[in-house]
Amino acid sequence: MSSKQIQQRLNALRDEINAHNYLYYVLDNPEIPDSEYDRLLGELSDLEQQYPEFITADSPTQRVGSTPLDSFAEVKHEIPMLSLGNAFSDQDMEDFDRRVREAVNKDNVDYAAEPKLDGLAISLLYKDGILVRAATRGDGRTGEDVTLNIRTIEAIPLKLRGQDFPPVIEVRGEVVMPKAGFAKLNQQQLEKGDKPFVNPRNAAAGSLRQLDPKITATRPLSFYCYGVGLVEGIALPKKHSQVMEKLKSWGLKINSESQVVKGSKGCLAYYTKLAAKRNNLPDEIDGIVYKVDDVEDQNILGFVSRAPRWAIARKFPAQEEMTKLLAIDIQVGRTGALTPVARLQPVFVGGVTVSNATLHNQDEIDRLDARIGDYVIVRRAGDVIPQIVSVVQSRREGKPRRFHLPATCPVCGSETARFGDEAVTFCTGGLYCEAQRKEAIKHFASRRAMNIDGLGDKLVEQLVDEGLIHTIADLYHLDVERLIRLDRMAEKSAKNLINSLEKSKSTTLARFVFALGIHSIGETTAQTLANHFLSLDNIMSADEEQLLAVPDIGPIVAENVITFFKQEHNLEVVEQLLSAGIIWPKIEKKSAAQQPLAGKIFVVTGTLETMGRNEAKAALQELGAKVSGSVSKKTDYVVVGENPGSKASKAEELGITLLDEKAFTELLAQ
Ligand code: IVH
């Protein structure tokens, strides 16, 4: 290729890549898949490597510079970067509109309404269409030169599109970190053992403050423009909204929620609309900016101190506030999980007064390093549960001690424990712990456990509250006489309940083990334990080694079983249940002939017509098969019912035998 041909090819590739960038970032309408884009970029990069003399600074390959800076240079803003006055209520907005109308002497004023993005203000200077300098706002008059970092943001064009842009134009806008990118970045921070960022704005600011642009390049930053500063050579349109459209045509991204509205009524309607959308927008916003759309009117209105009189920021209720952590209380939940709850100095945030927030578990307390007396940042976004996002370390007074969850349950005094690498701390009190008792009784009575008809959740609460029962064993000492003394309990229902209780005494070992509500023992595990150990005595006396020898029983289940049957009060309850007359058929060890599916792994997906999914599982287990929840290379058969999910297609991919309902029932019949 001649040098001219090379240059032509380079230019063609750059134009094509820039065009796709424009489609992707500005129009939000990509035309080619990422792979094709990467191919173009690869070709350009290869050609440039071969002919480095033709590399230009605005080439799409030149976004990430190689040498870190020692410090950021100062940049003086020829036209100061201003701030905005705030409006907090509808009344404030009406007052603003009235002041504007009076000043420009019009009955009706159009406003350009835009989301107020929660990022940081940046000025981009383009000379002859080339990005030559990017600066932070700083104090409004002097900022920092962050050109190298800004160049790494793909949503910002290094070169403007088209021909009709002014020879000198300073574009202003907000660098943001979209919520999705923020969540991902924070997850990576945690995985690396680094501190997560408090919010997207801090993460964006921290990313731009890096002296090494290579680090900035890894951060998911984006940019929206919302105005212009210095403009030379060509006059811009006479409406703010038209200027924005022009900027868009030159390749700059503007926010798609922007809209021109009429008068204060239009402003209020836009506020309502955007507030409802707020939590579903891709970027964090903290309000709305309304700008007089007519630039001549803007000039008439001018400035007061450091804010324009032609624009105002209508703030949404703050989603973050600072308050004091007064105490940490411990709640014991239905599974025995200890939840630390922060008691806060009441604070108005996200539209409600918040005085409690969950601290989740010990890991979360450690991560935040939250100590009683600390000042904390509370966040409540939309209708989401309030969260403590960080501790204001600089405001810590004295030397408060680190907080640890208690070693004994605050409700029943039993030991607390963490299992395996679970974050949750549990009370080991089980059936003995008052906090867990109601839930344990509800679980015991439930259909898949002891199946006690007529003993619903409400009645369990009532029975415990009235002191008629304390443990699941007490259920079998209830009588009609005492039951009818309860509110809303007729003799007939009382008799029915006693009958159901009687009936429930004939059960199976698996149901009984499941009904005890041992932590992490679900129906399937209970069945496995019953099949393997054959008797309750064997299960109760099994040691760790014996338990771990059972297929599908891991260390967590083993530990839970052992811990449960070590507690004196649990043994007492079991004893009482048995002496109340609970019985089950003796389990015989099945011969190999009775377990033709032993060692086979099945997955059941979709809806079966002739039986429920649990029934199908039980039937398979009866024949010795193992039923798994997910398809893997180890799966032998997948039973596919109506409307199967991704499991069926995955099985097909892996070449696993699929059984339709007919084939499945035939297999069972055999
Ligand atoms: S216009 C003279 N429009 O808010 C008008 N600002 O409180 C100056 N901001 O520093 C700004 N979104 O960082 C404008 N659509 C928007 C905005 C916006 C966010 C930020 C900007 C500015 C601050 C002013």
Side-chain angles (χ1 to χ4, degrees):
M1 276 198 281
S2 70
S3 135
K4 195 171 162 211
Q5 283 171 316
I6 295 159
Q7 285 221 17
Q8 271 173 352
R9 180 67 193 139
L10 285 170
N11 285 337
L13 279 167
R14 288 171 190 155
D15 286 349
E16 197 176 347
I17 291 167
N18 285 334
H20 288 302
N21 262 343
Y22 176 68
L23 284 166
Y24 184 86
Y25 288 106
V26 180
L27 301 184
D28 198 13
N29 185 22
E31 251 174 21
I32 56 169
D34 288 359
S35 55
E36 180 59 16
Y37 180 87
D38 291 344
R39 197 197 61 72
L40 290 169
L41 207 59
E43 187 186 340
L44 176 61
S45 170
D46 287 349
L47 205 56
E48 284 179 343
Q49 221 150 38
Q50 245 181 304
Y51 304 100
E53 64 273 29
F54 297 136
I55 297 180
T56 55
D58 63 320
S59 169
T61 59
Q62 302 300 302
R63 285 199 172 267
V64 188
S66 51
T67 27
L69 296 172
D70 293 326
S71 64
F72 298 114
E74 269 191 7
V75 172
K76 284 239 178 307
H77 299 297
E78 280 197 43
I79 300 177
M81 291 180 79
L82 301 168
S83 57
L84 290 167
N86 288 324
F88 294 99
S89 63
D90 291 358
Q91 185 62 54
D92 288 353
M93 280 309 298
E94 279 160 19
D95 292 347
F96 168 74
D97 176 55
R98 186 177 30 74
R99 289 194 303 271
V100 168
R101 281 187 284 110
E102 281 169 9
V104 301
N105 203 12
K106 285 185 181 164
D107 292 338
N108 274 301
V109 175
D110 284 353
Y111 296 99
E114 302 166 355
K116 185 168 191 299
L117 297 152
D118 206 6
L120 60 155
I122 290 289
S123 139
L124 307 172
L125 185 62
Y126 287 90
K127 287 199 170 153
D128 295 321
I130 304 292
L131 175 65
V132 293
R133 195 201 65 199
T136 62
R137 175 171 181 268
D139 63 4
R141 296 182 186 281
T142 315
E144 285 179 324
D145 186 330
V146 287
T147 312
L148 294 183
N149 287 341
I150 287 295
R151 285 176 60 96
T152 68
I153 302 175
E154 287 178 338
I156 296 179
L158 299 178
K159 187 180 165 205
L160 298 181
R161 296 172 54 80
Q163 318 288 326
D164 60 338
F165 46 75
V168 175
I169 180 165
E170 182 199 350
V171 177
R172 291 177 175 180
E174 199 87 347
V175 167
V176 297
M177 186 174 290
K179 290 175 192 167
F182 170 74
K184 214 155 126 196
L185 175 64
N186 261 359
Q187 201 181 333
Q188 289 165 357
Q189 290 287 108
L190 286 175
E191 279 162 12
K192 279 193 297 186
D194 289 342
K195 261 196 171 240
F197 293 97
V198 171
N199 55 40
R201 176 165 43 84
N202 283 15
S207 302
L208 278 192
R209 220 176 285 124
Q210 299 292 330
L211 288 167
D212 185 352
K214 282 207 201 65
I215 298 177
T216 313
T218 66
R219 301 288 172 80
L221 297 174
S222 190
F223 175 82
Y224 297 94
C225 63
Y226 53 63
V228 293
L230 188 68
V231 179
E232 283 174 10
I234 294 179
L236 294 179
K238 297 254 173 284
K239 298 270 156 87
H240 173 81
S241 50
Q242 295 165 344
V243 173
M244 290 296 110
E245 283 306 319
K246 270 281 172 217
L247 292 173
K248 184 173 177 181
S249 76
W250 296 330
L252 290 148
K253 190 164 143 181
I254 61 175
N255 197 290
S256 57
E257 299 296 334
S258 307
Q259 194 183 317
V260 176
V261 299
K262 295 204 172 295
S264 67
K265 273 221 173 74
C267 292
L268 299 187
Y270 183 86
Y271 175 86
T272 311
K273 187 183 83 172
L274 210 66
K277 269 190 176 181
R278 182 184 189 186
N279 287 309
N280 299 322
L281 294 176
D283 304 287
E284 200 81 61
I285 66 173
D286 56 357
I288 295 162
V289 183
Y290 298 99
K291 301 167 184 175
V292 171
D293 198 31
D294 188 310
V295 177
E296 258 170 48
D297 286 348
Q298 287 186 0
N299 293 335
I300 294 172
L301 282 149
F303 303 87
V304 267
S305 67
R306 310 186 58 194
R309 285 169 62 205
W310 46 264
I312 198 159
R314 171 79 196 264
K315 295 301 218 62
F316 287 138
Q319 292 187 312
E320 285 184 6
E321 286 293 350
M322 186 172 69
T323 190
K324 194 169 181 172
L325 176 58
L326 301 175
I328 299 177
D329 288 351
I330 309 296
Q331 279 176 357
V332 185
R334 59 191 207 93
T335 59
L338 267 59
T339 307
V341 179
R343 303 290 177 212
L344 304 165
Q345 188 110 59
V347 62
F348 191 72
V349 54
V352 299
T353 300
V354 172
S355 44
N356 304 309
T358 175
L359 282 162
H360 301 288
N361 53 50
Q362 185 69 51
D363 286 354
E364 177 71 358
I365 293 175
D366 294 346
R367 184 180 77 75
L368 293 165
D369 185 21
R371 307 185 193 192
I372 293 164
D374 277 346
Y375 282 87
V376 294
I377 305 295
V378 177
R379 179 180 173 77
R380 183 184 173 275
D383 45 16
V384 181
I385 311 160
Q387 298 278 347
I388 294 182
V389 286
S390 63
V391 167
V392 187
Q393 297 281 354
S394 58
R395 286 204 58 174
R396 178 170 285 166
E397 291 155 10
K399 284 206 173 91
R401 296 204 304 164
R402 282 187 178 278
F403 184 87
H404 295 288
L405 288 177
T408 54
C409 171
V411 176
C412 73
S414 303
E415 278 172 43
T416 62
R418 282 174 77 163
F419 300 103
D421 48 13
E422 278 186 71
V424 184
T425 304
F426 285 97
C427 160
T428 58
L431 304 184
Y432 173 75
C433 181
E434 198 179 315
Q436 297 172 66
R437 203 177 294 151
K438 281 181 186 169
E439 299 308 322
I441 297 172
K442 289 177 197 170
H443 170 76
F444 183 81
S446 66
R447 208 165 50 82
R448 318 199 86 87
M450 299 301 280
N451 193 17
I452 306 174
D453 238 7
L455 185 53
D457 290 359
K458 282 264 145 47
L459 184 52
V460 171
E461 308 254 345
Q462 214 180 349
L463 288 169
V464 176
D465 289 342
E466 299 289 321
L468 288 187
I469 56 174
H470 299 282
T471 70
I472 50 179
D474 295 340
L475 283 170
Y476 293 102
H477 299 300
L478 287 170
D479 51 36
V480 174
E481 211 174 289
R482 268 186 294 171
L483 281 174
I484 52 174
R485 274 190 247 139
L486 288 175
D487 254 9
R488 288 190 301 270
M489 173 65 83
E491 187 167 341
K492 178 127 189 291
S493 340
K495 278 187 179 154
N496 284 345
L497 179 59
I498 298 298
N499 278 338
S500 310
L501 280 161
E502 241 357 88
K503 232 171 72 189
S504 74
K505 287 180 183 172
S506 298
T507 183
T508 66
L509 175 57
R511 273 179 176 267
F512 182 75
V513 171
F514 173 59
L516 290 177
I518 305 169
H519 183 57
S520 80
I521 310 288
E523 264 178 297
T524 314
T525 311
Q527 185 72 58
T528 307
L529 288 169
N531 288 348
H532 183 88
F533 288 103
L534 305 175
S535 76
L536 183 62
D537 278 342
N538 290 347
I539 297 175
M540 287 172 67
S541 61
D543 62 19
E544 193 180 350
E545 201 183 332
Q546 288 170 311
L547 284 162
L548 289 177
V550 184
D552 296 338
I553 302 274
I556 292 178
V557 168
E559 192 178 345
N560 287 333
V561 171
I562 292 170
T563 312
F564 184 88
F565 289 118
K566 224 169 53 187
Q567 309 281 329
E568 198 59 45
H569 40 259
N570 288 342
L571 296 178
E572 254 169 55
V573 168
V574 170
E575 185 54 48
Q576 287 167 9
L577 286 169
L578 296 180
S579 51
I582 290 179
I583 47 160
W584 50 83
K586 201 164 168 289
I587 309 173
E588 304 283 353
K589 190 95 195 153
K590 287 207 172 128
S591 67
Q594 285 168 301
Q595 299 230 292
L597 298 180
K600 297 283 180 229
I601 302 178
F602 279 72
V603 172
V604 185
T605 180
T607 319
L608 299 175
E609 257 172 42
T610 55
M611 66 181 95
R613 192 123 37 120
N614 283 318
E615 245 178 295
K617 280 186 193 170
L620 284 165
Q621 282 165 346
E622 185 76 5
L623 297 172
K626 201 183 130 184
V627 183
S628 163
S630 59
V631 175
S632 77
K633 276 187 283 192
K634 289 192 201 144
T635 313
D636 295 295
Y637 297 97
V638 175
V639 179
V640 184
E642 284 294 308
N643 303 320
S646 60
K647 287 177 194 170
S649 40
K650 181 157 182 213
E652 228 160 352
E653 263 169 47
L654 292 173
I656 293 163
T657 312
L658 301 182
L659 301 175
D660 61 13
E661 183 154 1
K662 188 157 161 277
F664 176 57
T665 37
E666 277 167 15
L667 179 86
L668 291 183
Q670 278 173 30

